[in-house]
Amino acid sequence: MTATAPRFGPSPLRLLLAAIVLLGTLFGALLAGASPASAHAALTGSNPKDGAVVATAPKDVTLTFSEQVAMGNDSIRVLEPSGKRADKAAVRDLGTGGKVIYGVDLLPGLPDGTYTVAWQAVSADSHPVSGAFTFSIGAPSKTTAVVPDQKAGGGVVGVLYDIARYASYAGFVLLTGGAAFVLACWQRGASVRPLQRLVVRGWVTLTAATLATLLLRTPYTGSGKLADAFDLGGLQDVLQTKTGAALSSRLMLLGAAALFIAVLFGAYAKREDEGEKKDLTFGLAVGGAVVAAGIAATWALSEHASTGIQPGLAMPVDVTHLLAVATWLGGLAALLTALYRAPSIERAAVRRFSTVAFGSVVVLAATGIYQSWRQVGSWSALTGTWYGQLLLIKVGLVLVLVSVAWISRRWTAQLAETAEVTEAGEEADPVAEEAADEADPGGEEADPGAEDAADPERAAQLARQKAAVATAQKKKARDKARDADPVRSGLRRSVLAEAGIAVVLLAVTTILTSTEPGRTEEEAANASGSQAAATVPNGPTEIKLPFDTGGKNGKGTVRLSLDPATSGANVMHVWIYSPDLKPMDVPEVKVSFTLKAKQIGPLPITPDRVATGHWSADAVQIPMPGDWQVQVTVRTSDIDQTTTDENIKIG
């Protein structure tokens, strides 16, 4: 093709400048900051805290979360060192003043030792969260409590659930984008069988994946056992949740989408009157947009967009984002199908899609900036969290996809106008005519003598076979001529590359929707740090000192805690346990505090024995802050004793 083709779309320089502005705006927005927002719920505190050693058994165990969660009985399990249940199973909502706190009462008369707390909940964005920690009563001990090493939403069920999520997004993209491509770019495509199959497969995929997600929801957020997917009681419970309502609504909307597909590929494809077809196009576009937006809203109303700050704005932005993704990537799949499977496609249709795709990218960028700011919010979260790193990968993929799309736009500008091929416009084929003549015994060329000898049914069968061969030969010649067009082949290759990147992009997006947002992860870490700082305001409050008196059973470890480790009155606890972590009883324990820098001390403290291996002292007076030397003297027999020491900072 020697003629210089006109250029369509922005120049490379304009695209480069747009990308720079987009990235600058994105990262500038990330640094702007905002009030806290959450998505996945995170455990921000507990009482007793993780690793704490308490003198006496608490009445209950409480957990504090960063956002609202759904919990049922057995969502919090407290296990004794022996592995027996130590709680009453009934979970209580203790939240007040906007705080999200849940607790479970403990059984009376619990023995000393290390207890394991395992919890599982469903966050407001529909994702399961779980965790475990330990605390000790009296002194630490060995424990036989077994906590599932599989996190909530993991295992085989988690893999199947993630596959169903990916299939749902892929089906939505093909269904919505394919239909939009037909209505907005290539109305003749409504009668092209490969395009029809693409859209129908999108509908089937989305419907099947939604049903699978609904069935897998019970084991995904609960037991993790695949067999529970068919638990009718669990399914009934799921339908009463926000996620269950969204999934059931999606199934109803897919019923309306089936009617839309039937009209699009039925009455619309066969309509020839331009005026009637224009009216029907408008009606289908409006109805299809409403159904597509409704399906997109089933994600927005039940996942990340429905929690955190500005949900009233975040949800419509999320719907718009999903529709832009579907229009772009689904239209890309439809274009690829037309280029490879359809006899021909007009340059005007490809140009129209190029314009639609560019508009979708603009919408995608604008909504993506807002979503990134809302879910990340800081440079540290962008580079230091898994969510932020995935987001950077997604941005990189989008930029690569836009670059390849620009190459496709250049091929589009050079695409030769292809004549529309229809059955009515094809030239008469001699082989087909000969077959038709043989199929008509009453024709002018029929041999009267042969008519008596030949079998009419056999003649008709031969004629049909010849006609089929002729049609296949014509199709092969058409495909060969189509593939010989270098411009069309170049466009097919670039669009195929776009589609491959789009598949990876869709996978990264699916992972993002199930990953704890960077802002939430940082909030949880900061909240945990703040809690630790509030509990331990000035340096360490706990020390461990190994000792060996040299006599029989003279080896062990001293664990000393000082609360709150400030000048003034403090509470001191001392635990002594043997090398196998069992409480160890000794005849005598003494403690002294010395501030050498001020020549104060030693200040002797004689703690009282509370239980086997446990001593305590109230109102331990520390006159001033500083680096104090703590000396612990342990006597294991009448003649065997030793003194160990360590410095701690007291504020």
Side-chain angles (χ1 to χ4, degrees), residues 209-579:
T210 301
L211 286 170
T213 303
L214 193 59
L215 292 174
L216 289 170
R217 188 69 187 167
T218 297
Y220 178 67
T221 59
S223 65
K225 299 177 181 178
L226 186 58
D228 287 346
F230 304 99
D231 180 7
L232 295 181
L235 179 60
Q236 185 177 6
D237 293 338
V238 167
L239 292 175
Q240 296 175 359
T241 65
K242 181 171 66 172
T243 302
L247 291 172
S248 57
S249 298
R250 188 184 304 167
L251 289 174
M252 289 187 287
L253 287 167
L254 283 169
L259 179 61
F260 168 86
I261 293 173
V263 175
L264 178 65
F265 297 142
Y268 181 80
K270 298 175 182 178
R271 195 65 54 97
E272 296 181 357
D273 184 87
E274 290 298 327
E276 293 181 357
K277 193 160 189 174
K278 185 176 180 181
D279 293 338
L280 191 54
T281 300
F282 177 78
L284 285 174
V286 173
V290 171
V291 173
I295 295 175
T298 61
W299 278 289
L301 292 170
S302 61
E303 297 194 353
H304 286 174
S306 62
T307 64
I309 61 172
Q310 303 175 349
L313 175 61
M315 287 188 287
V317 167
D318 194 49
V319 170
T320 305
H321 188 82
L322 284 171
L323 291 176
V325 170
T327 302
W328 182 21
L329 301 186
L332 193 64
L335 175 60
L336 186 66
T337 300
L339 288 172
Y340 273 89
R341 304 291 295 172
S344 66
I345 182 172
E346 298 81 2
R347 181 177 63 176
V350 182
R351 288 177 56 192
R352 280 193 291 269
F353 171 71
S354 184
T355 302
V356 170
F358 182 78
S360 298
V361 171
V362 172
V363 174
L364 184 66
T367 54
I369 288 173
Y370 173 76
Q371 289 178 326
S372 301
W373 163 80
R374 187 172 178 270
Q375 302 293 357
V376 181
S378 68
W379 283 108
S380 58
L382 182 66
T383 57
T385 65
W386 177 230
Y387 186 95
Q389 293 162 5
L390 280 174
L391 182 61
L392 289 176
I393 294 174
K394 179 180 178 180
V395 171
L397 287 171
V398 170
L399 291 178
V400 172
L401 192 55
V402 169
S403 301
V404 178
W406 174 76
I407 297 175
S408 297
R409 287 173 68 86
R410 295 193 65 181
W411 283 115
T412 301
Q414 302 175 43
L415 185 64
E417 190 73 53
T418 305
E420 185 174 336
V421 179
T422 61
E423 290 296 329
E426 293 178 8
E427 293 184 3
D429 185 81
V431 178
E433 288 182 357
E434 182 181 350
D437 290 340
E438 291 184 9
D440 183 12
E444 294 179 1
E445 302 296 327
D447 185 359
E451 183 176 352
D452 296 333
D455 184 358
E457 293 184 2
R458 177 62 177 167
Q461 182 181 10
L462 291 174
R464 288 193 296 269
Q465 290 176 350
K466 289 183 178 181
V469 170
T471 302
Q473 290 175 342
K474 286 191 295 179
K475 182 179 184 301
K476 184 177 180 180
R478 229 173 18 236
D479 292 344
K480 185 176 181 180
R482 177 190 65 192
D483 296 339
D485 184 354
V487 178
R488 182 186 178 101
S489 298
L491 179 60
R492 286 167 58 177
R493 288 193 298 269
S494 63
V495 173
L496 181 61
E498 285 186 74
I501 299 170
V503 170
V504 180
L505 177 63
L506 193 61
V508 173
T509 302
T510 304
I511 298 173
L512 268 174
T513 60
S514 58
T515 302
E516 181 178 6
R519 188 192 291 269
T520 307
E521 186 175 335
E522 283 202 335
E523 284 176 13
N526 293 336
S528 299
S530 299
Q531 184 193 35
T535 306
V536 189
N538 293 285
T541 58
E542 186 175 274
I543 57 175
K544 290 182 179 180
L545 303 170
F547 68 85
D548 184 359
T549 63
K552 183 180 179 181
N553 299 325
K555 291 184 178 181
T557 303
V558 174
R559 183 173 182 173
L560 183 147
S561 71
L562 195 67
D563 188 18
T566 59
S567 57
N570 290 263
V571 177
M572 183 184 70
H573 289 277
V574 179
W575 296 271
I576 298 180
Y577 43 96
S578 60

